[in-house]
Amino acid sequence: MFDLTGKRALVTGASGGIGRAIAQKLADCGAEVALSGTRVEKLEEVASAISGKTHIVPCNLSDLEAVDKLIPSAIEAMGGLDILVNNAGITRDNIFMRMKDSEWDDVIAVNLTAAFRLSRAAVKTMMKQRAGRIIGITSVVGVTGNPGQGNYAASKAGLIGMSKAIAQEVASRGITVNTIAPGFIASAMTDELNDKQRDTILSTIPTGRLGSADEVAASAVFLASDEAAYVTGQTIHVNGGMAMI
Amino acid sequence: MSDVSDRVRKIVVEHLNVEADKVTEKASFIDDLGADSLDQVELVMAFEEEFSVEIPDDAAENIQTFGDAVSFLEKAVN
């Protein structure tokens, strides 16, 4: 596909389904990849499945002090940073009227504030290099909304707005900033749906099936490539047509 | 002409692609030397690297001219 030989990437949430697929595909295309997440054993498992060069840089993104150390440790491990994938995200779903302050704060902290801090640190290095790629994994619900996910939708919409703002600031320095908005992607979470829930979801997806993590990762590889240099401030929707925006 | 001033001038000339004689004491990076706000941030980063110092954000905001940069860095280095 695209050649990422010599590029150094950091993927947050690399032990999850989509993060893992992104790390794997970036490595398949030649990139050196730093895998971040909270569960070290899971990250080691992901690393062992990747044939290219990997590093494990654990980080709890709800701990802002730890967040500030992540980019420096990735740079130390790889000698630089060309691609940042802000993939990690959490949900704390609740009906809006009942949503607790902590449910709101936790989701915003991990999904948006951590992405802000990581992007800020990454941009500094990328500016010096006169090249870089920042890719945020947002969600279709950041654009369409979803009942029970006021906090999550806000964080994902925030990621899109933030990316557009950064994209405008740093475009002249060879850095692109984009987001990918997956729709329903097959994962451990969707495996737990019953048949009725599954049918209801599928009826809203023209493609008639759930997406795969690999299909999201393919867009990440494209955005990370040199060929995507003229694509910035955009959101690629990978949702089987469930929302056409 | 101090050593600091020469090193600062070199960075400014290279980064903003301007003639060395335009970089006078009172020359404003933005108004006289064609820098934008991002260039200004980059200049500060380049000064930090060249002189191995940390320039806090509030100090960076006060570095508007070549002279400002030289006097800040002369103090910081000594």
Side-chain angles (χ1 to χ4, degrees), chain A residues 196-208:
Chain A
K196 191 164 170 249
Q197 288 170 319
R198 177 175 289 261
D199 287 348
T200 309
I201 288 170
L202 290 183
S203 71
T204 67
I205 305 174
T207 323

Side-chain angles (χ1 to χ4, degrees), chain B:
Chain B
M1 190 64 62
S2 75
D3 165 58
V4 169
S5 149
D6 283 345
R7 284 155 73 193
V8 172
R9 179 174 282 110
K10 185 160 178 281
I11 290 171
V12 173
V13 165
E14 276 172 14
H15 192 88
L16 299 178
N17 212 6
V18 291
E19 302 289 332
D21 59 6
K22 292 251 165 62
V23 188
T24 57
E25 163 125 23
K26 292 223 163 70
S28 153
F29 295 126
I30 289 182
D31 297 333
D32 302 316
L33 301 174
D36 61 18
S37 53
L38 205 53
D39 289 319
Q40 207 167 11
V41 173
E42 286 185 308
L43 281 173
V44 168
M45 279 161 50
F47 298 151
E48 287 180 328
E49 202 158 305
E50 170 73 20
F51 294 94
S52 306
V53 293
E54 283 242 351
I55 304 178
D57 287 347
D58 52 344
E61 275 168 29
N62 292 325
I63 300 179
Q64 300 289 335
T65 65
F66 173 68
D68 293 340
V70 172
S71 61
F72 178 90
L73 289 162
E74 274 175 344
K75 270 185 222 135
V77 181
N78 291 324

Side-chain angles (χ1 to χ4, degrees), chain A residues 10 36 56-61 63-77 81 114 117-118 120-122:
Chain A
L10 168 65
S36 189
I56 292 173
V57 281
C59 182
N60 176 359
L61 295 183
D63 173 355
L64 290 177
E65 272 181 39
V67 171
D68 286 340
K69 290 185 188 135
L70 181 55
I71 296 288
S73 40
I75 290 174
E76 200 191 323
L81 183 66
R117 291 201 176 200
L118 295 176
R120 182 177 59 184

Side-chain angles (χ1 to χ4, degrees), chain A residues 10-13 36-37 57-75 81 83-89 109-126 133-135 159 162 166:
Chain A
L10 168 65
V11 180
T12 67
S36 189
V57 281
C59 182
N60 176 359
L61 295 183
S62 57
D63 173 355
L64 290 177
E65 272 181 39
V67 171
D68 286 340
K69 290 185 188 135
L70 181 55
I71 296 288
S73 40
I75 290 174
L81 183 66
I83 301 159
L84 167 65
V85 184
N86 283 312
N87 164 70
V110 172
N111 298 8
L112 189 55
T113 308
F116 152 63
R117 291 201 176 200
L118 295 176
S119 302
R120 182 177 59 184
V123 156
K124 240 182 169 181
T125 295
M126 292 173 179
R133 296 282 183 266
I134 298 178
I135 300 166
L159 194 58
M162 181 180 79
I166 308 171

